[in-house]
Structure formats: C-alpha cells, structure tokens
Amino acid sequence: MNGIFEVVVHLSKFKNIDLFRQGLYCIRATLHSKKPEDKKSLPVGEGMPYYLLNEKNIHKRVSENKKIVYPSKISDSLRAFYSKTFRVQYVDQEVELEDACLFRFERTAASRGDTCYLALELLFAEYNSTDYAMRKEYPPQEDFENVSMKWYTVNRFNQGHGSGFYPATFDDSHFCLLDIMIHFMLIDYQFRQTTVTW
C-alpha cells in the first residue's frame, strides 16, 4: 500500500549575497525518498513534477522583468522543476521569482521515517556585462553547469499534511539566499502488487 502525496515547491525570492561570478543562474529542484551515497551524483527525481502554478501569467512576468532570461519549466526526463533563469550583476541584487510547481510523490508503506528530501541545484552559465552590451545571444539552458547543490529534509510526512519555510543557502563560493515554501498533503492510497521470489 502506497501513499500518494501532492507536494508544492514554491521558490519565492533569490538574493545574491556574494556569488563568485556574474552571469546567468537558475534553480533545479527534485524530490527523493532518500539521499544517494554520492551526493555529488544526483539520480533522476522520484517525485513527478507535472504543473506550473504560474503557467497562465508566466509570459507576462518574463516580459516585465528584464532580468529574466528563460521562463520556468518542467523536465519530464529528469523529473525536475526549473526556476526562471535570471541574470545576476551585483551584490545584494534581489530577484522576485514567484515560481511554484506541483509534484506527485509516492511513498511505500515500507518507507522508514516520515521524511522526503528536496535536492536544489544552482545552475550557472557565463554571461558578463560586456556580453550584454554587445547583445550576445544567451547560452542555451543545456549548456548550464551545476556549480553547487544542497539537500533539505522535509519532515512530518506521516502526519498526512504539512508546510515549511526553508531559507536555502549554497556554498561559500556561491553565497546567496533562496526563500522556499513547501506544502504537502496525502491525497490518495494506491495498492501496488509486488512479486515475491522464493
């Protein structure tokens, strides 16, 4: 017997405190039932992102904010949610993201503990002020590199519902602050037949 959860990951605001390089940044988020042994090698997410909550007005937001380069999106192959891509230029710069995504997350009755794990990756591509002044084309998102990653624990899944605020930070070379809200609720049960071998 598996529990089916609806999980909302809301990326509210990004603040650059002391990022090592200027350029283009975005956040990639995935949900997992456990942390991998090698935390630098991220497996495909177990939670399935399927709906952007700001989908109806996303193009309006992009056109109004010149710092936004690419809109938020969902990757079905990686089971990942990508925030808007934005350009960082100076210290203490703040970017209103207001990105949110619905995940469908399944937990088995045999799962130990009452937690799931949110993996956040900070993706980066080089794009300096000279490139901007010369109107150089933005690099495609496929060329972005993962420069930092953090894991966050979401607790109280055995209660069936909950919310939490997570002020996320990355490493010292990529010192920034990301305001995150996570909401989850048990919405259904699903019977999964397993094959027993003797």
Side-chain angles (χ1 to χ4, degrees):
M1 184 70 71
N2 292 357
I4 310 298
F5 286 83
E6 197 92 310
V7 183
V8 180
V9 177
H10 176 205
L11 310 180
S12 176
K13 184 172 66 175
F14 179 94
K15 182 176 182 179
N16 171 28
I17 299 173
D18 190 17
L19 285 171
F20 186 65
R21 291 182 287 181
Q22 292 184 356
L24 305 182
Y25 289 86
C26 78
I27 310 298
R28 181 164 60 198
T30 51
L31 289 178
H32 305 264
S33 61
K34 61 181 181 179
K35 294 181 183 179
E37 293 183 4
D38 181 8
K39 295 183 177 62
K40 294 182 179 180
S41 177
L42 187 65
V44 173
E46 296 174 62
M48 177 64 73
Y50 68 92
Y51 187 71
L52 296 172
L53 292 176
N54 57 355
E55 190 173 22
K56 293 181 180 179
N57 62 355
I58 188 171
H59 299 296
K60 180 180 178 182
R61 285 184 180 274
V62 171
S63 62
E64 289 177 349
N65 190 341
K66 295 182 180 180
K67 294 286 189 296
I68 302 300
V69 176
Y70 296 119
S72 53
K73 68 174 187 177
I74 290 172
S75 169
D76 292 329
S77 59
L78 297 176
R79 294 189 174 185
F81 159 49
Y82 288 75
S83 75
K84 297 180 182 75
T85 300
F86 49 92
R87 189 163 63 94
V88 170
Q89 298 173 267
Y90 50 85
V91 174
D92 292 333
Q93 176 183 335
E94 293 187 2
V95 180
E96 295 287 343
L97 294 175
E98 296 303 335
D99 282 328
C101 183
L102 276 174
F103 285 79
R104 191 63 54 84
F105 187 69
E106 187 169 329
R107 288 178 59 86
T108 65
S111 296
R112 295 184 177 180
D114 63 342
T115 61
C116 88
Y117 299 94
L118 173 68
L120 293 176
E121 298 171 87
L122 184 64
L123 307 182
F124 168 79
E126 198 77 49
Y127 196 85
N128 55 40
S129 55
T130 303
D131 295 332
Y132 181 77
M134 296 179 64
R135 299 183 181 275
K136 183 179 177 181
E137 287 190 7
Y138 295 124
Q141 282 187 302
E142 294 75 18
D143 293 346
F144 281 49
E145 60 176 317
N146 178 359
V147 293
S148 187
M149 181 167 60
K150 273 295 185 73
W151 288 84
Y152 290 90
T153 303
V154 184
N155 293 310
R156 302 192 306 276
F157 260 72
N158 60 355
Q159 296 181 9
H161 62 87
S163 297
F165 173 71
Y166 296 79
T169 58
F170 293 92
D171 61 78
D172 292 343
S173 296
H174 304 90
F175 195 27
C176 54
L177 177 64
L178 177 66
D179 291 341
I180 304 173
M181 284 288 292
I182 299 176
H183 313 277
F184 63 88
M185 177 174 287
L186 177 66
I187 60 171
D188 199 4
Y189 288 100
Q190 182 73 47
F191 178 74
R192 301 289 190 192
Q193 188 172 1
T194 57
T195 303
V196 179
T197 57
W198 300 92

